[in-house]
Amino acid sequence: MSNSTPSSSRPLAPFLMIWGAQLFSLIGSTIAQFALVWWLTQTTDSATVLATASLVAMLPGIFVGPLAGAFVDRWSRRWVMIVADSLSALIALGLAALFWTGALQVWHIYLAMLVRSLAGSFHWPAMQSSTSLMVPPKHLTRVAGLNHTTFGIMNVFGPPLGALLLGILPLHGVMLIDVATAVIAVSPLFFIRIPQPTVIASPTSGTPTVWADLIAGLRYVRAWPGLLLLLGMAMLINFVLTPAGSLTPLLVTRHFHGAALQLGWLNSAWGIGVVVGGLILSAWGGFRRRSITSLTGLTLMGVGFVIIGVAPANALWLAIVGNLIAGLMNPITNAPLLAMLQAVVEPQMQGRVFTLIGSFSGAMSPLSLAIAGPLADVIGVRAWYVMGGLLCTAIGIGAFFIPAIVRLEENHRHVAQTVEPAQGQPALATATLAVME
């Protein structure tokens, strides 16, 4: 039970208002992120520094994420998003002040990325779990496609706009844009109501503790058939692809001998692909089995990364094509599984499930960045694209022959009927590849 509006009578307008405001914030954050990464690249020219920055940004999601999900399931999700967006804006304002006074140091950016990532660890599950309470179930796959379209638009307009703004504004001016877009994102949340699920109490022990909530989430996830296979896939893919994405600026400067504009083109190709892929999925809806749609996308996404890795130094256009293909397949890979999460997981469990899956699937990323940074300084970054792409393609093809993965949604229905509930809540579990979001 929850106090959510019946699915058949949920109006889409309130959700679309929040979604549109968040789009502005995402573009502002992308501009700011591009500016900070480029500042690190020009200031240090170090793969280790860039890898460390990515590592710092990932740590809260891995270690704080599961606990954040338990709190999100208890707190007002609307206020979680308001506080998270506001905190990110304050950090951007602080960075603007440091650059304006000439006091900005590399460790300041590390700290800023850490805090902004911590805010995101609460904001993301709050937004995703709110979606299932505001959108009719029949539209969840299409909305997931639109969400990926949002990320694509962010990547299309953010990098080139960031490069343009860096040419006409100082860094503190770019950071103030991030502050303004965060204000836009927060504004609708003050007057649009987001349904809040009821925290279910156990008949014998009352309302469970946060720790008990976390354990219940772990039990649900563990009960999913084929979960270990999916987590293994996600861990391997994240291990090889995370460094590829984080070291893109050095791929541009060292291999293609480009600058901020060329980096913007490459990043925008990914964004255009995500936009087109998200729109295709929104109109098409995918195959009847969401797992088939996802594995097809994973296989072809690997092809795109291989193309990037083998592109000669005088063929930046080929790398752009590869990134376009990879971006196109990103929503085809991830959106169907995200939609399944939102459709089958009870609203009062979604914060925990989203964050637990994200933490497990991202657990290998810090290790890969710790290895990839120093190693890339010695052997270059192209090998990571080739290795990651080949592995994605091999995993995607191989998984078609594993029934536990292909019949993912059907297996979930079986588990939901047979696993004993914990803490008075319905038994369920699910998983997602969580690849290269």
Side-chain angles (χ1 to χ4, degrees), residues 258-396:
L261 182 60
Q262 285 70 36
L263 177 60
W265 291 344
L266 193 60
N267 287 344
S268 294
W270 169 273
I272 291 171
V274 173
V275 170
V276 175
L279 291 175
I280 290 173
L281 187 64
S282 297
W284 167 38
F287 296 115
R288 182 179 63 84
R289 280 185 178 158
R290 294 179 173 118
S291 58
I292 296 296
T293 308
S294 179
L295 293 177
T296 301
L298 178 62
T299 301
L300 296 177
M301 187 166 66
V303 173
F305 279 105
V306 171
I307 292 173
I308 298 172
V310 300
N314 61 350
L316 177 64
W317 66 269
L318 185 58
I320 291 174
V321 170
N323 224 21
L324 182 67
I325 294 172
L328 181 70
M329 291 300 112
N330 181 267
I332 306 299
T333 301
N334 288 296
L337 293 180
L338 177 60
M340 183 174 62
L341 258 170
Q342 293 169 330
V344 301
V345 177
E346 288 292 323
Q348 63 268 20
M349 281 293 300
Q350 288 191 9
R352 279 165 284 177
V353 171
F354 283 133
T355 52
L356 284 170
I357 297 301
S359 296
F360 284 127
S361 65
M364 295 299 289
S365 296
L367 176 61
S368 67
L369 286 170
I371 295 173
L375 189 60
D377 282 332
V378 177
I379 66 172
V381 301
R382 297 173 66 197
W384 290 101
Y385 287 91
V386 175
M387 180 172 60
L390 290 175
L391 185 61
C392 281
T393 300
I395 290 176

Side-chain angles (χ1 to χ4, degrees), residues 26-39 42 153-175 177-178 259-265 267-268:
L26 287 170
I27 292 175
S29 296
T30 302
I31 293 171
Q33 185 74 7
F34 180 90
L36 292 175
V37 169
W38 190 248
W39 185 88
Q42 287 190 315
I153 291 174
M154 172 185 66
N155 281 296
V156 169
F157 292 103
L161 186 57
L164 175 64
L165 291 173
L166 282 175
I168 60 178
L169 292 175
L171 183 60
H172 64 267
V174 176
M175 299 309 298
I177 293 174
D178 188 28
L261 182 60
Q262 285 70 36
L263 177 60
W265 291 344
N267 287 344
S268 294

Side-chain angles (χ1 to χ4, degrees), residues 121-157:
S121 296
F122 286 85
H123 186 282
W124 185 79
M127 181 64 187
Q128 297 305 318
S129 55
S130 296
T131 300
S132 63
L133 295 172
M134 300 181 75
V135 176
K138 65 180 180 180
H139 294 311
L140 284 174
T141 298
R142 291 180 168 85
V143 167
L146 284 176
N147 283 333
H148 280 76
T149 300
T150 300
F151 286 110
I153 291 174
M154 172 185 66
N155 281 296
V156 169
F157 292 103

Side-chain angles (χ1 to χ4, degrees), residues 8 18 25 52 57 78 84 95 125 147 220 226 237 241 273 290 304 312 331 418-419:
S8 60
I18 295 175
S25 179
T52 302
R78 181 170 66 95
L95 288 175
N147 283 333
Y220 287 0
I237 293 167
L241 290 189
R290 294 179 173 118
T418 59
V419 176

